[in-house]
């Protein structure tokens, strides 16, 4: 389904946003969190769906075939700030979840997170992905998703990305301010897409120790198999083929799932300019990303 015109970006308290993520603002800000809520926070295209499915299987993998074959991931893990009435109102979808803990997706920068989550001490899992692959993935996502602003040419998109002029604002501010939050909020687990690619089992172990879960060895193996890229790409519950605004012929949602695909997109000049700018914006030596593994 083609949606025209595509949404426009505008400045929202210093962050580029589209209305579909701000129109329900008061309800989102006043959202009532619970202590056992689990929030999955990411900049778009950092591996949100992957970690969502891992968490869903850890908590609800035992729930039988119906859930596994008929409930898409975006219904299992509602997108808090999404507002496409009357069907897709993220905050209401969370409230209607029949299962606990509630798994809640958000792309909000840390300063926009409803305060109730901090007050309740809800656990938050943040996934970050290296800026270059993140930008490439976001570019293709903007091409295929009619609910996103036009992707435009890759060179323009990359410039926009560097200037924070894409939905949810600056990647640099997002990853940095969430990293800083980790220093003062202990219920925040900060993960990297590249680590998940390198050793998914180890990342699941770390996640489980953060969450106080202890799946059996068989259960863990089953999860690792189910969340492998090819298996999620084939799975209609995780590949977003049920979502009409995405044209998977333009670019599949489960596109490549690799570290280093940026090398197929960046020219030498773009890479030099990007690195130069990156150094200025990424000053914290403790927050390190891997651009290849
Ligand atoms: P690519 O476009 O680079 O392929 P999000 O879920 O945050 O929108 O992120 C989507 C990105 O994560 C896409 O990246 C997608 O292919 C990748 N991804 C999703 N599931 C994955 C998996 N199981 N293994 C590796 N990458 C995965």
């Amino acid at each position: 389904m083609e949606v025209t015109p595509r949404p426009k970006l505008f400045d929202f308290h210093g962050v580029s946003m589209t209305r579909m993520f701000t129109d329900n603002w008061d309800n989102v800000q006043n959202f009532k969190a619970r202590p056992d809520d689990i929030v999955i926070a990411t900049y778009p295209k950092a591996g949100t769906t992957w970690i969502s499915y891992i968490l869903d299987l850890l908590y609800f993998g035992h729930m039988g075939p119906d859930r596994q074959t008929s409930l898409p991931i975006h219904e299992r893990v509602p997108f808090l700030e999404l507002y496409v009435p009357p069907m897709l109102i993220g905050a209401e979808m969370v409230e209607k979840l029949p299962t606990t803990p509630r798994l809640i997706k958000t792309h909000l920068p840390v300063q926009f997170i409803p305060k109730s989550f901090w007050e309740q001490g809800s656990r938050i899992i943040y996934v970050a992905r290296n800026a270059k692959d993140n930008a490439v993935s976001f570019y293709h996502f903007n091409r295929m998703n009619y609910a996103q602003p036009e992707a435009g040419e890759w060179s323009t998109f990359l410039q926009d990305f560097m200037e924070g002029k894409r939905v949810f604002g600056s990647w640099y501010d997002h990853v940095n301010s969430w990293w800083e939050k980790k220093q003062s909020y202990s219920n925040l687990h900060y993960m990297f897409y590249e680590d998940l690619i390198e050793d998914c089992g180890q990342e699941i172990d770390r996640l489980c120790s953060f969450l106080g879960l202890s799946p059996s060895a068989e259960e863990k193996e089953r999860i690792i198999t189910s969340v492998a890229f090819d298996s999620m790409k084939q799975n209609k519950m995780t590949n977003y083929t049920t979502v009409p605004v995405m044209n998977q012929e333009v670019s599949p949602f489960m596109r490549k799932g690799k570290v280093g695909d940026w090398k197929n997109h960046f020219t030498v000049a773009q890479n030099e300019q990007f690195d130069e700018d990156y150094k200025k914006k990424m000053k914290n030596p403790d927050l390190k990303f891997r651009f290849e593994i």
Side-chain angles (χ1 to χ4, degrees):
M1 180 175 76
E2 189 145 356
V3 181
T4 47
R6 292 234 190 177
K8 290 257 176 303
L9 277 180
F10 64 96
D11 181 277
F12 186 75
H13 303 294
V15 177
S16 293
M17 294 291 266
T18 53
R19 287 187 52 184
M20 120 183 9
F21 304 117
T22 60
D23 271 358
N24 198 27
W25 200 246
D26 291 348
N27 289 329
V28 169
Q29 289 305 306
N30 294 324
F31 183 80
K32 284 196 176 42
R34 297 183 194 155
D36 62 352
D37 282 341
I38 298 176
V39 178
I40 296 162
T42 55
Y43 188 79
K45 311 318 287 175
T48 329
T49 315
W50 193 3
I51 199 71
S52 298
Y53 195 39
I54 291 173
L55 282 164
D56 181 75
L57 291 177
L58 278 170
Y59 281 103
F60 308 115
H62 60 277
M63 275 184 69
D66 276 3
R67 183 181 177 88
Q68 305 315 328
T69 54
S70 61
L71 199 60
I73 193 70
H74 60 269
E75 291 181 33
R76 300 181 201 191
V77 184
F79 187 177
L80 181 65
E81 59 273 23
L82 180 67
Y83 188 69
V84 188
M87 287 301 288
L88 297 172
I89 304 177
E92 288 180 6
M93 288 166 72
V94 176
E95 274 153 14
K96 287 185 192 143
L97 282 174
T99 40
T100 46
R102 305 186 298 185
L103 304 176
I104 305 169
K105 161 182 164 179
T106 184
H107 288 318
L108 291 174
V110 72
Q111 70 275 20
F112 288 169
I113 292 294
K115 66 175 184 321
S116 174
F117 286 110
W118 311 122
E119 290 165 356
Q120 296 297 319
S122 311
R123 282 165 299 181
I124 304 186
I125 293 152
Y126 187 81
V127 187
R129 184 178 193 181
N130 84 70
K132 295 180 187 177
D133 284 326
N134 204 140
V136 167
S137 182
F138 207 2
Y139 168 66
H140 290 293
F141 185 64
N142 278 231
R143 291 173 54 232
M144 61 85 81
N145 185 347
Y146 297 113
Q148 288 280 318
E150 210 67 71
E153 292 293 319
W154 160 244
S155 56
T156 323
F157 183 91
L158 183 61
Q159 204 61 42
D160 288 348
F161 181 89
M162 287 162 62
E163 291 170 18
K165 290 188 188 142
R166 284 286 158 179
V167 190
F168 294 102
S170 159
W171 175 92
Y172 311 84
D173 291 348
H174 212 281
V175 299
N176 276 313
S177 49
W178 273 101
W179 180 263
E180 272 161 36
K181 188 72 188 182
K182 184 173 91 85
Q183 318 312 319
S184 61
Y185 187 75
S186 59
N187 273 349
L188 172 54
H189 182 64
Y190 199 108
M191 303 175 68
F192 295 92
Y193 178 92
E194 293 72 27
D195 293 345
L196 271 165
I197 290 278
E198 192 171 59
D199 191 342
C200 186
Q202 178 174 292
E203 290 309 303
I204 292 179
D205 289 343
R206 289 178 175 157
L207 194 57
C208 287
S209 95
F210 171 70
L211 296 167
L213 297 175
S214 38
S216 66
E218 298 80 59
E219 209 180 324
K220 194 182 133 189
E221 275 317 308
R222 256 202 315 275
I223 295 176
I224 293 176
T225 308
S226 307
V227 306
F229 179 82
D230 290 336
S231 140
M232 282 182 65
K233 190 177 170 76
Q234 299 309 320
N235 183 345
K236 285 194 174 58
M237 297 300 111
T238 55
N239 65 14
Y240 275 90
T241 47
T242 57
V243 173
V245 292
M246 296 187 190
N247 185 343
Q248 307 247 358
E249 281 166 23
V250 172
S251 177
F253 180 87
M254 296 291 300
R255 194 184 58 91
K256 282 200 179 168
K258 295 251 183 300
V259 179
D261 185 42
W262 61 269
K263 293 177 189 168
N264 300 316
H265 291 75
F266 282 61
T267 64
V268 172
Q270 282 169 348
N271 196 35
E272 281 171 3
Q273 194 209 351
F274 192 93
D275 285 346
E276 193 66 29
D277 179 66
Y278 189 87
K279 266 190 251 144
K280 292 186 199 135
K281 291 175 177 154
M282 300 296 288
K283 290 244 158 68
N284 186 342
D286 298 334
L287 178 55
K288 289 197 196 75
F289 284 90
R290 293 191 290 166
F291 294 92
E292 52 196 327
I293 53 175

